[in-house]
Amino acid sequence: MPPFPSGEISLAPCAPAHPLAAPALAREGAVDQAITHAAAADITRQFIRAKQPCADGYRWYLRRHEGASNYQALLDDLVREGRVEDACWMLDQFGPTNDVLEVDHLEADALVFAGSVRCRGHADVEGVLRTGRSLSVLGGLRVGGALRVGEDLRVAGAVRCEGSARLQGDMRVGWSLTVAQRLQSTGSLRVGGELDCGAAAQIGGHCRVAQDLRVVGDLGCEGGIKVGGHLQAGAALQAARGLWVAGDVNCKGHLQVGWGVRAGGHIHAGGAIRAGESLWAGDTIEAGEAYGVYAGLDVPLPDWPHSAQVSAREQPARLLSGCWADGPGSTQ
């Protein structure tokens, strides 16, 4: 990732984030105010009490906000005073808004914004970065703590997150993606470079990585997985649809794929290898000791010769399901 330049606009904790001015959001007509009822109105003491906050947080609110308080201003005050967890709790309770924060560069100790954030340059946040809706960065993104995005994430450069990352939408990263802890996305994931995850990764849609994909824990995907380099999973690997890898597949746990598997190199697992359809490798296919290799688990027996083929440099040991086709497979 290129170095982060000093920004024309810096968001330090002492300066609350403000939504984009109305004329910039809507040049004709009024600004869209379709936000949650709680966020649209000023937040009162009774409103906070109804959400059953912790005693310490409620005392803080009473000391600083005797009257009604603006939703985003209250989030800014909490972050500025180091109460980031309280700000995240409030966003959980009152939900996102349609406000938009637009900056040239983003530099902050922490940021909790109820709407969408658009950054035209690089973004560098030392602690937690959380948005109620989408996050768009035209440069690189570094987050020193947890990354939480309420909708889609779009980053043109590289992403480095030193905590966990959780997204309620699709994730598009132009360069590499590095997450030190758990990675969760309810939508699809597309990475233009390498993907490194220091714990488990769970993808709700398709997963496409242009270069190598490395996950220390389990790798789960509710769609298909396509990797332009090698794939390495430190535990189990599961894909609801197909698995296509240009290089080697190394999985220390069970490997289970709903459709077919194609790898340009070898396919090695520490547990069983299970494919709903065909299983192809340019090199060897090897399951863990005392485990079997299964292909065509979702294919009728009469269709095995063309839809449950097992192809590799040599026939795998303990091939318990599928139709052996002599010769290495191809990723083409």
Side-chain angles (χ1 to χ4, degrees):
M1 182 187 298
F4 292 95
S6 58
E8 286 83 350
I9 296 179
S10 177
L11 289 181
C14 58
H18 297 289
L20 194 64
L25 281 176
R27 301 186 183 278
E28 297 181 5
V31 180
D32 181 14
Q33 297 297 329
I35 57 179
T36 61
H37 176 73
D42 285 337
I43 296 175
T44 63
R45 179 189 302 182
Q46 292 75 19
F47 206 52
I48 291 287
R49 184 186 298 169
K51 295 296 182 179
Q52 298 180 332
C54 66
D56 182 58
Y58 188 57
R59 284 195 298 269
W60 176 91
Y61 174 77
L62 294 179
R63 287 196 303 269
R64 289 159 177 77
H65 296 272
E66 280 296 329
S69 303
N70 175 268
Y71 182 27
Q72 185 58 52
L74 188 53
L75 294 177
D76 294 338
D77 288 346
L78 287 165
V79 172
R80 183 170 59 246
E81 298 199 17
R83 307 183 70 96
V84 178
E85 291 186 5
D86 289 343
C88 292
W89 173 87
M90 180 162 287
L91 183 52
D92 288 336
Q93 299 302 312
F94 300 118
T97 71
N98 285 341
D99 290 336
V100 178
L101 172 65
E102 189 167 13
V103 296
D104 291 325
H105 294 277
L106 176 61
E107 296 178 3
D109 287 342
L111 176 64
V112 179
F113 191 76
S116 298
V117 176
R118 300 171 186 169
C119 179
R120 290 182 286 268
H122 298 291
D124 190 351
V125 178
E126 287 295 329
V128 172
L129 172 57
R130 179 165 181 185
T131 65
R133 294 201 184 277
S134 64
L135 172 61
S136 174
V137 180
L138 296 184
L141 171 64
R142 188 192 76 87
V143 182
L147 173 64
R148 301 287 184 268
V149 180
E151 293 180 352
D152 294 343
L153 172 68
R154 300 286 188 274
V155 179
V159 174
R160 183 176 185 85
C161 176
E162 297 173 16
S164 60
R166 187 170 70 234
L167 298 94
Q168 300 295 321
D170 294 336
M171 189 174 189
R172 300 288 184 271
V173 178
W175 294 2
S176 63
L177 170 63
T178 303
V179 180
Q181 299 178 21
R182 184 176 175 83
L183 170 63
Q184 295 174 273
S185 175
T186 61
S188 296
L189 171 66
R190 184 186 291 258
V191 179
E194 297 184 345
L195 190 160
D196 278 285
C197 180
Q202 182 65 42
I203 311 302
H206 295 298
C207 176
R208 184 166 185 171
V209 179
Q211 298 178 16
D212 293 346
L213 190 163
R214 291 179 290 270
V215 177
V216 171
D218 292 333
L219 172 59
C221 181
E222 297 304 317
I225 299 176
K226 186 173 184 179
V227 179
H230 302 299
L231 188 156
Q232 181 175 338
L237 191 162
Q238 181 272 332
R241 296 190 179 183
L243 173 63
W244 185 99
V245 179
D248 297 330
V249 176
N250 290 289
C251 168
K252 291 187 178 180
H254 297 304
L255 191 159
Q256 182 163 334
V257 178
W259 295 0
V261 179
R262 284 181 178 265
H266 65 244
I267 302 174
H268 291 177
I273 297 176
R274 305 184 184 96
E277 299 177 0
S278 294
L279 185 58
W280 292 61
D283 200 341
T284 58
I285 298 174
E286 183 179 319
E289 185 177 355
Y291 288 101
V293 176
Y294 306 84
L297 293 177
D298 295 332
V299 176
L301 287 173
D303 296 334
W304 272 23
H306 54 81
S307 295
Q309 295 183 6
V310 178
S311 180
R313 191 182 66 187
E314 59 188 37
Q315 183 171 341
R318 299 177 299 280
L319 176 60
L320 304 180
S321 174
C323 183
W324 170 244
D326 193 17
S330 170
T331 57
Q332 301 299 320

